[in-house]
Amino acid sequence: MKNNLYPEFQNIFNKEAEKIYFSPGRVNLIGEHIDYNGGLVMPCAITFGTYVAVAPNNDNIFRFRSLNFDDKSDTPLQKDYKKIGETWFNYPLGIIDYFLNDGHQLQGLDMLYYGDIPISSGLSSSASIEVVTAFMLNDLFNSGYTKLQLVQLCKQVENIFIGVNCGIMDQFAVAFGEKDKALMLNCDTLEYQAVNTNLGNYVLAIINTNKPRKLAESKYNERVQECQTALKALQQELNIQHLCDIDNKTFQQHQHVITDPIALKRAKHVIEENDRVKLAAKALAAGDLAITSSETILPS
């Protein structure tokens, strides 16, 4: 698709694109609802992702176009921006807003986006478009951010500009993903280990169920709040900052302080899931894909 973007860009803007950037999507192998609880996740980048073709203009206008959506915008350069409805270009607009508020001088850009990630499929299309935009601006305007800083600013845009209380897993996996490896990431310290995905005769199948999934429209923020409720209860007896600061044994000893049954259920999942990621990483690194179910059962 990369080569096809050049003629498409020419047709839309009547000039040539100067550069094309790409950022992958991601799939999380294990570690669900862990990233915003300071725990371990194990995502990997995928070959599907987001492309953006770009060329500067002298009009001080950010022109957003997409081959996936009909929505488009010609947005004048100004000192800051606000989210506009639920349209796709809020994600790159939020990144631009961050750069401007962080003191960087930008100029108008003509931008053509294309993604081959199935829309709303849970493969982090939003993180992909955020990261590809951040890398593009960082490169074009020599902004000097490190890769980790770009990841962190993309998360901040998702949290504040878009309004989704996500953790850092999606942006980190998209930016740091390696070929044929998964990343075991500590979402608190941001330390990570690349784990060889030695699948042998197995394959990893990503199946599109065509069930739309949009974090901003889901119960994601509600789950975050439920986990916070459990954390606050545990903090009555424990000096912890995140649910994943404790293991399952400690949780069993102190779970009585969580009086909300839904919050208790959420905390139980998070803490046990954190232990499952450790087991999965060991099995995957060893090529032990036939691990028995008894080896993965955690103490009750």
Side-chain angles (χ1 to χ4, degrees):
M1 183 63 206
K2 178 180 179 179
N3 291 334
N4 291 339
L5 273 182
Y6 284 106
E8 293 284 356
F9 189 95
Q10 177 75 48
N11 289 338
I12 293 172
F13 294 112
N14 295 314
K15 64 181 181 183
E16 293 185 357
E18 286 197 0
K19 289 187 176 182
I20 292 181
Y21 298 85
F22 173 77
S23 179
R26 71 97 188 100
V27 64
N28 192 32
L29 302 181
I30 189 169
E32 296 302 326
H33 290 276
I34 296 292
D35 58 340
Y36 56 83
N37 286 297
L40 297 170
V41 293
M42 198 163 64
C44 60
I46 59 177
T47 53
F48 298 112
T50 305
Y51 299 85
V52 58
V54 62
N57 65 59
N58 296 319
D59 306 319
N60 283 333
I61 292 175
F62 295 112
R63 296 188 176 96
F64 300 101
R65 302 290 187 273
S66 170
L67 297 181
N68 302 97
F69 303 99
D70 293 331
D71 293 346
K72 60 184 179 180
S73 177
D74 293 348
T75 304
L77 176 61
Q78 55 195 53
K79 63 179 183 179
D80 57 26
Y81 299 94
K82 301 294 182 183
K83 182 181 175 185
I84 304 170
E86 301 299 326
T87 187
W88 68 271
F89 54 78
N90 278 312
Y91 295 98
L93 186 63
I95 300 297
I96 290 171
D97 179 72
Y98 186 103
F99 272 70
L100 290 170
N101 279 282
D102 207 27
H104 297 286
Q105 297 295 318
L106 306 183
Q107 73 172 99
L109 296 172
D110 296 331
M111 295 165 283
L112 176 61
Y113 287 84
Y114 169 75
D116 55 7
I117 303 173
I119 304 301
S120 302
S121 61
L123 298 176
S124 294
S125 56
S126 61
S128 182
I129 193 172
E130 288 162 358
V131 170
V132 77
T133 303
F135 269 76
M136 174 188 69
L137 295 179
N138 197 46
D139 179 54
L140 291 177
F141 299 107
N142 298 310
S143 300
Y145 292 111
T146 66
K147 186 189 290 189
L148 180 57
Q149 288 172 329
L150 291 174
V151 167
Q152 291 169 322
L153 76 84
C154 287
K155 175 186 177 294
Q156 187 168 340
V157 167
E158 186 93 26
N159 294 162
I160 298 174
F161 193 91
I162 302 299
V164 175
N165 294 320
C166 68
I168 203 166
M169 176 184 69
D170 292 356
Q171 293 84 4
F172 195 99
V174 165
F176 283 86
E178 300 179 25
K179 181 178 173 59
D180 297 327
K181 295 182 186 295
L183 303 179
M184 186 169 68
L185 169 67
N186 184 315
C187 294
D188 181 25
T189 65
L190 300 185
E191 295 175 345
Y192 75 97
Q193 174 187 349
V195 181
N196 287 321
T197 52
N198 180 19
L199 300 181
N201 294 326
Y202 296 91
V203 295
L204 175 64
I206 303 173
I207 301 172
N208 181 14
T209 64
N210 290 315
K211 172 68 174 178
R213 179 178 182 272
K214 296 182 179 180
L215 290 184
E217 299 175 6
S218 71
K219 291 184 177 291
Y220 188 94
N221 286 348
E222 186 176 317
R223 290 291 184 96
V224 174
Q225 185 56 52
E226 290 162 350
C227 289
Q228 285 297 309
T229 298
L231 175 63
K232 289 178 181 177
L234 288 169
Q235 286 172 332
Q236 298 174 54
E237 296 186 356
L238 297 168
N239 182 22
I240 58 174
Q241 300 300 314
H242 306 284
L243 287 178
C244 290
D245 289 346
I246 59 175
D247 58 18
N248 191 50
K249 181 179 179 181
T250 304
F251 174 67
Q252 294 293 329
Q253 294 170 346
H254 297 275
Q255 63 178 337
H256 62 273
V257 299
I258 306 175
T259 57
D260 183 329
I262 298 299
L264 178 63
K265 181 179 179 181
R266 301 294 182 246
K268 179 179 173 64
H269 164 77
V270 165
I271 293 164
E272 292 183 350
E273 181 81 344
N274 198 47
D275 286 342
R276 283 190 287 269
V277 175
K278 299 173 188 176
L279 293 172
K282 291 179 181 178
L284 188 59
D288 186 11
L289 302 185
I291 187 169
T292 63
S293 60
S294 63
E295 291 176 280
T296 63
I297 295 177
L298 296 165
S300 60

